[in-house]
Amino acid sequence: TSNYILPLFRSVYSRLIRMKANVHAQPSTSTQKDRDAARVSKEVAEEFWENCNRNNQWLANEYSGMQAVLMKLILYKMTLGLGYLVPYFNPFAKSFVYDEKTKEVFEADVGEAEVRVCTPFNIFRDRFNRFCIERRFISPEQVESEFNIKCDPSSMDEESPEIKIVRALEGLDTEKMDKEGVYVYHKYCLPTKESPEGLSYVCTDKKILYEGQLSSEYRKRSPVYEFRYQDLGFSSYGQGIIEQVIDLQQDYNFTLSRIAQHKKLLPGKVLSPKGANLNVKHDDTVGQIITYTQGYKPTMEPPPALPQYYYDEIARIRADMEGIMNSHDVSMGRTPSQVKSGVGIQSLSSLDDAQIAPELIMFELKLGFFAETVLDICQEKYNERRLLSISGNDLAFEIKSFIGSDLFGRKRIKIKMGSNFPLDKTERTNYI
């Protein structure tokens, strides 16, 4: 067997995670207030992109900064077809506060906007979009830290797909494992006539941790943002990048098995007459001496040539897999054998970029909507003046700070992946 999906997957994955997310804030009107709000919003969004989750003791190791968040989100999208981001305000997080009177910067427990990454296994959506449930499996200590309530471990333990496979192969018993985690369910209900502000519930399988209105910073919307990889239109879920090439991979391995079988069985055959009376068999000994009866000399039979059909099949299957996964030879760091000119190589790169454009466009739109919610959280919850950045030349420095009210204004947030240059070489030349 040979896993040809893996290098193709790595090629596409590396192309996506190397694209830098550029944040752009545009005022909706020409008033000075909206222009100032757009300028501050851009800087706040960029600061969030760099430093989100860094002050959260539970998320800092794995999801510090939006680049790490996007890497995990893209991985979920490509493998499972779906990934989710949930922005929220953590009131217990530490943040740097700026005192305008004393001109001092100090750290305080004033809370910060943060984001969680979720898999489709832990998100449950109502088919009519009336509510959405987020499930997390965390430690009792984290529950106490977030909700100030002590909880006992759940009756069921978390099982990832990898653990289930190992358990099935090794015959391990689930009942013998320690139960140390807590399942926490967060339900977001959209506004109705009975509850015009929306509802929010947080509970375990034994306790209710929170019950009240949907947080005002969500603007009566669900804070669970869904990102699909391949949206096929008629499907309820997105499709991962490897789903359509599994059958081709099986056919690829079947063809390789026939080649390996040919190599193993046919080469190295010795034709020996019945009366040769060989004293030993052929082996890998250097200088081996084999005696035989006069007139009955054994001969080494050359192996038959491998049929060209197998090579054609391997090339066809690889071409089909590269076409489906938008990753041709040139995208994987190799010059394709069929293409010799730089123009042809550029055309293959442009083809790969063009085919992945629908996923990138939808990704940018969803990220822009997500960034607007993050700014809404900052606008609503940041009631203290926060440190934004320190800039200056030589030993002089200028402290930039902001407060939530600075974000009030009509603005649009757009996220662009990669550089602002067009993807095609000709268009790039014209742009310059």
Side-chain angles (χ1 to χ4, degrees):
T1 59
S2 175
N3 189 354
Y4 190 56
I5 293 179
L6 184 59
L8 295 175
F9 181 89
R10 284 174 171 168
S11 175
V12 179
Y13 183 54
S14 63
R15 282 164 55 203
L16 292 176
I17 65 175
R18 280 188 291 112
M19 292 184 178
K20 182 181 182 297
N22 299 312
V23 184
H24 303 275
Q26 299 175 349
S28 299
T29 67
S30 59
T31 62
Q32 185 63 37
K33 178 183 177 181
D34 289 347
R35 291 203 301 268
D36 291 341
R39 177 181 55 80
V40 177
S41 297
K42 173 180 171 61
E43 295 187 7
V44 172
E46 288 180 343
E47 195 276 338
F48 175 83
W49 232 254
E50 292 290 332
N51 301 311
C52 71
N53 299 344
R54 290 184 183 272
N55 294 324
N56 186 312
Q57 56 183 332
W58 310 104
L59 298 177
N61 290 335
E62 191 173 2
Y63 300 114
S64 58
M66 276 299 295
Q67 184 62 34
V69 171
L70 293 182
M71 287 178 64
K72 183 65 70 172
L73 175 65
I74 292 173
L75 188 62
Y76 288 155
K77 285 176 50 181
M78 293 179 62
T79 53
L80 305 174
L82 285 174
Y84 295 89
L85 293 182
V86 182
Y88 64 97
F89 179 74
N90 180 7
F92 303 105
K94 293 182 179 296
S95 184
F96 287 102
V97 181
Y98 176 64
D99 191 340
E100 288 187 305
K101 295 182 179 179
T102 61
K103 306 296 183 183
E104 292 183 355
V105 177
F106 58 93
E107 196 175 40
D109 297 328
V110 292
E112 276 197 344
E114 297 176 348
V115 59
R116 290 192 294 267
V117 193
C118 303
T119 72
F121 300 123
N122 292 324
I123 297 293
F124 307 91
R125 280 188 175 275
D126 175 46
R127 58 176 297 192
F128 299 108
N129 293 324
R130 294 169 296 189
F131 63 85
C132 183
I133 299 175
E134 175 197 3
R135 182 182 69 176
R136 291 188 292 157
F137 189 74
I138 57 180
S139 65
E141 291 80 8
Q142 186 172 350
V143 175
E144 185 176 1
S145 173
E146 292 185 8
F147 301 97
N148 200 22
I149 298 176
K150 290 188 176 182
C151 288
D152 297 327
S154 297
S155 56
M156 297 183 298
D157 198 16
E158 172 83 335
E159 283 194 88
S160 65
E162 295 83 1
I163 294 178
K164 289 182 179 180
I165 293 174
V166 172
R167 192 185 308 284
L169 293 176
E170 299 183 0
L172 300 178
D173 188 3
T174 310
E175 298 299 326
K176 295 181 180 179
M177 292 193 63
D178 295 331
K179 310 296 189 293
E180 297 180 352
V182 179
Y183 275 110
V184 176
Y185 302 89
H186 199 150
K187 183 177 182 180
Y188 307 94
C189 300
L190 297 184
T192 60
K193 265 191 174 181
E194 291 75 15
S195 55
E197 299 299 325
L199 296 174
S200 178
Y201 303 94
V202 185
C203 67
T204 67
D205 53 359
K206 300 177 182 179
K207 283 185 179 182
I208 294 179
L209 304 178
Y210 173 80
E211 182 179 3
Q213 292 183 351
L214 191 65
S215 298
S216 58
E217 62 267 20
Y218 292 144
R219 302 289 188 261
K220 300 182 181 181
R221 300 188 299 255
S222 171
V224 180
Y225 290 91
E226 180 181 278
F227 294 83
R228 299 187 180 191
Y229 185 75
Q230 292 179 343
D231 193 346
L232 301 181
F234 298 102
S235 175
S236 301
Y237 304 96
Q239 189 179 62
I241 192 172
I242 63 176
E243 187 172 345
Q244 293 184 352
V245 295
I246 292 177
D247 291 339
L248 288 171
Q249 176 68 62
Q250 292 174 346
D251 193 13
Y252 185 77
N253 283 335
F254 180 80
T255 307
L256 286 180
S257 299
R258 291 295 173 266
I259 297 176
Q261 187 179 26
H262 180 278
K263 183 177 69 174
K264 181 179 180 181
L265 298 180
L266 296 182
K269 302 299 181 182
V270 178
L271 296 181
S272 176
K274 287 187 177 181
N277 296 324
L278 302 180
N279 62 331
V280 293
K281 292 183 178 181
H282 280 79
D283 56 33
D284 58 354
T285 302
V286 178
Q288 182 185 18
I289 299 176
I290 301 176
T291 61
Y292 61 92
T293 304
Q294 184 74 18
Y296 294 91
K297 181 180 179 180
T299 59
M300 179 71 72
E301 181 70 10
L306 187 69
Q308 183 63 31
Y309 164 77
Y310 289 112
Y311 296 110
D312 295 340
E313 275 295 285
I314 288 292
R316 177 192 65 82
I317 295 171
R318 289 172 70 108
D320 288 346
M321 294 178 70
E322 291 173 2
I324 291 175
M325 298 189 71
N326 305 323
S327 181
H328 293 84
D329 282 347
V330 65
S331 302
M332 300 169 63
R334 300 191 299 268
T335 303
S337 57
Q338 303 88 349
V339 179
K340 301 300 181 184
S341 68
V343 176
I345 295 175
Q346 179 62 37
S347 298
L348 275 181
S349 298
S350 299
L351 175 63
D352 288 346
D353 292 335
Q355 288 182 343
I356 209 171
E359 284 76 25
L360 282 180
I361 292 174
M362 185 58 67
F363 193 40
E364 291 174 352
L365 292 175
K366 287 289 185 70
L367 278 180
F369 197 21
F370 162 81
E372 289 181 7
T373 302
V374 171
L375 292 177
D376 289 339
I377 295 174
C378 297
Q379 177 178 306
E380 188 81 17
K381 297 294 187 180
Y382 284 19
N383 298 320
E384 305 83 8
R385 184 158 290 278
R386 308 294 182 102
L387 174 67
L388 189 58
S389 64
I390 299 177
S391 60
N393 298 324
D394 299 328
L395 297 179
F397 65 90
E398 176 188 1
I399 294 180
K400 292 184 178 181
S401 62
F402 78 100
I403 196 170
S405 58
D406 294 338
L407 302 176
F408 277 99
R410 297 179 181 178
K411 54 191 177 296
R412 301 186 190 95
I413 304 299
K414 292 184 178 181
I415 306 294
K416 292 293 184 183
M417 302 303 293
S419 66
N420 292 325
F421 288 103
L423 298 176
D424 185 75
K425 182 179 180 181
T426 305
E427 294 181 2
R428 197 178 299 152
T429 304
N430 295 336
Y431 180 85
I432 295 174

